[in-house]
């Protein structure tokens, strides 16, 4: 029997939408065949710089530089992700290219438009399925934003618009993004919906050859 490759599953969303919880639950449910990778990956040298930027407002970096560091942080894992998929392992991603573009473009820095922000991620392997978690409650009424640099209600609203604009403009260059509305729903309810959306993708047989991996173009 031909060996099957694993599937790349991405969960995206704004801060405080329950992404990380859902990613962990999904990876747990997938069992030994799954790896969970979170971006930013704060465990690397580049990730440590990103962590300092996010947690220390006094740490100054040009917006272009921090954007490219987030992208470089994804490229650090690229070969490993492709290797896992070809070895038949599923990979669950907690944030990826879309967060990279949406958060940076939401800063509205002259010259850093959506295309500029996207350019450094061209060539990264594309997910087989992308779920975008949305909470319809206004960011003003939701509690729980933390202390990190981007966790401010007004900025999150801009990121929300950027995500939507991005899904429309990237159009055919990205796979269909499925929106999951988490408003007022329990962790278990969302988990079940995530599972129902992911399972058909897992069941689809794809041979484990390099040519079956798609990339952002
Ligand atoms: P986290 O809360 O999921 O660890 O993400 C940290 C912050 O970094 C979050 O506010 C989103 C932001 N971010 C970017 O600005 N660009 C990126 O490429 C990624 C992956 C995250």
């Amino acid at each position: 029997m031909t060996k099957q490759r694993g599937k790349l599953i991405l969960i995206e969303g704004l801060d405080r939408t329950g992404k990380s919880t859902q990613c962990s639950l999904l990876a747990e449910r997938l069992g030994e065949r799954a790896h969970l990778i979170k971006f930013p990956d704060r465990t690397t040298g580049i990730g440590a710089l990103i962590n300092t930027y996010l947690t220390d407002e006094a740490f100054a970096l040009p917006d272009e530089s921090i954007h490219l560091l987030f992208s470089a942080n994804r490229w650090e894992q690229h070969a490993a992700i492709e290797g896992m998929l070809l070895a038949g392992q599923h990979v669950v991603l907690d944030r990826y290219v879309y967060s990279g573009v949406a958060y940076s473009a939401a800063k509205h820095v002259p010259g850093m438009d959506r295309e500029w922000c996207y350019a450094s991620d061209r060539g990264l392997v594309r997910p087989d399925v992308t779920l975008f978690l949305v909470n319809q409650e206004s960011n003003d009424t939701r509690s729980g934003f933390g202390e990190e640099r981007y966790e401010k209600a007004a900025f999150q609203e801009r990121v929300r618009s950027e995500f939507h604009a991005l899904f429309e403009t990237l159009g055919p260059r990205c796979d269909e993004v499925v929106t999951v509305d988490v408003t007022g729903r329990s962790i278990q309810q969302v988990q079940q919906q995530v599972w129902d959306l992911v399972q058909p993708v897992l069941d689809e047989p794809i041979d484990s050859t390099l040519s079956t991996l798609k990339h952002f173009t």
Side-chain angles (χ1 to χ4, degrees):
M1 212 176 88
T2 329
K3 191 170 171 193
Q4 302 293 300
R5 79 157 166 83
K7 302 290 165 50
L8 186 59
I9 302 147
L10 166 62
I11 302 190
E12 279 281 10
L14 291 170
D15 292 87
R16 314 300 305 166
T17 47
K19 267 182 326 320
S20 298
T21 305
Q22 292 302 330
C23 286
S24 302
L25 290 171
L26 178 61
E28 213 172 280
R29 196 157 172 180
L30 288 169
E32 284 178 358
R33 237 191 114 189
H35 292 269
L36 172 60
I37 299 180
K38 175 169 173 48
F39 289 117
D41 172 3
R42 303 186 196 215
T43 65
T44 68
I46 292 172
L49 262 179
I50 293 173
N51 184 57
T52 306
Y53 176 83
L54 290 171
T55 54
D56 180 359
E57 291 275 354
F59 182 72
L61 265 186
D63 292 302
E64 291 85 349
S65 300
I66 185 63
H67 173 79
L68 293 171
L69 286 175
F70 273 114
S71 179
N73 189 234
R74 284 184 279 283
W75 281 104
E76 286 187 288
Q77 301 292 344
H78 190 241
I81 293 173
E82 287 199 336
M84 288 176 210
L85 296 173
L86 292 175
Q89 302 279 305
H90 298 306
V91 180
V92 177
L93 297 180
D94 180 347
R95 293 194 190 277
Y96 196 42
V97 172
Y98 303 102
S99 281
V101 180
Y103 281 78
S104 289
K107 293 178 171 182
H108 300 166
V109 171
M112 285 181 68
D113 58 17
R114 227 167 278 142
E115 284 295 333
W116 188 95
C117 293
Y118 174 64
S120 53
D121 280 351
R122 284 211 172 99
L124 285 173
V125 64
R126 248 161 63 174
D128 293 291
V129 60
T130 298
L131 307 183
F132 179 58
L133 305 195
V134 174
N135 193 323
Q136 309 284 357
E137 278 176 52
S138 142
N139 283 321
D140 292 333
T141 54
R142 275 164 62 207
S143 59
F145 278 128
E147 296 292 310
E148 291 200 343
R149 196 180 280 248
Y150 297 150
E151 297 191 44
K152 318 250 170 13
F155 185 67
Q156 294 284 321
E157 280 309 319
R158 276 158 52 180
V159 178
R160 186 199 295 262
S161 321
E162 273 305 322
F163 265 120
H164 289 296
L166 179 62
F167 296 145
E168 277 174 30
T169 51
L170 275 185
R173 286 183 287 172
C174 56
D175 292 303
E176 194 198 345
V177 177
V178 185
T179 299
V180 175
D181 188 350
V182 304
T183 320
R185 298 172 68 207
S186 70
I187 290 173
Q188 286 73 22
Q189 285 170 324
V190 176
Q191 196 217 345
Q192 191 54 49
Q193 189 182 355
V194 167
W195 185 251
D196 291 343
L197 290 165
V198 167
Q199 208 177 21
V201 178
L202 299 175
D203 289 345
E204 193 187 330
I206 301 184
D207 287 352
S208 183
T209 58
L210 205 53
S211 63
T212 65
L213 295 176
K214 296 166 288 169
H215 298 86
F216 285 96
T217 56

